[in-house]
Amino acid sequence: MRKYEIMFIVRPTLSEEEIKSVADSFKKTLETNGSKVTSTDEWGKKALAYDMKKGSEVYKSGYYFVYEVEANDDKAIKEFDRLARISADIIRSLVIRKED
């Protein structure tokens, strides 16, 4: 099994319920595509190192989430990455393959 660490930042203009819903939907995307989320870590709202622009909005902070994931192939990771890039609710995401 390959191990991955996924970090993503949710835009701060959402309500608490919407932020939780976004995080849960991306976790479900990973699980339905054949991976196992071994741990989730919510860092909460943090100031960004620099302003990030997504669409017409500029963000100075965001809600950080980190998932540890195990997968046999990269199908789930590719789907997560695809959806994170087109989602208006995700400011940034980063996927790192961890050494075995």
Side-chain angles (χ1 to χ4, degrees), residues 74-85:
D74 61 353
K75 177 185 172 192
I77 304 304
K78 285 183 176 179
E79 181 64 7
F80 173 91
D81 197 38
R82 184 186 74 81
L83 292 174
R85 288 178 190 264

Side-chain angles (χ1 to χ4, degrees), residues 4 8 14 17 23 28 40 53 61 65 82 87 89 100:
Y4 298 90
F8 60 98
L14 299 175
E17 293 169 0
K28 187 174 182 178
T40 61
K53 185 175 182 183
S61 64
F65 292 87
R82 184 186 74 81
S87 173
D89 296 327
D100 294 331

Side-chain angles (χ1 to χ4, degrees), residues 6-73:
I6 299 174
M7 174 186 275
F8 60 98
I9 307 170
V10 179
R11 65 186 173 107
T13 55
L14 299 175
S15 70
E16 273 189 51
E17 293 169 0
E18 291 171 321
I19 291 167
K20 179 80 171 147
S21 174
V22 168
D24 288 344
S25 72
F26 277 94
K27 181 179 178 183
K28 187 174 182 178
T29 297
L30 289 165
E31 292 173 340
T32 57
N33 282 285
S35 69
K36 178 182 176 189
V37 178
T38 57
S39 75
T40 61
D41 192 10
E42 182 181 341
W43 291 3
K45 188 175 183 179
K46 303 276 185 195
L48 301 172
Y50 53 89
D51 295 352
M52 290 188 195
K53 185 175 182 183
K54 176 101 178 202
S56 62
E57 301 212 24
V58 176
Y59 300 102
K60 296 180 183 291
S61 64
Y63 286 88
Y64 284 69
F65 292 87
V66 178
Y67 290 165
E68 299 282 335
V69 178
E70 291 181 352
N72 288 325
D73 56 27

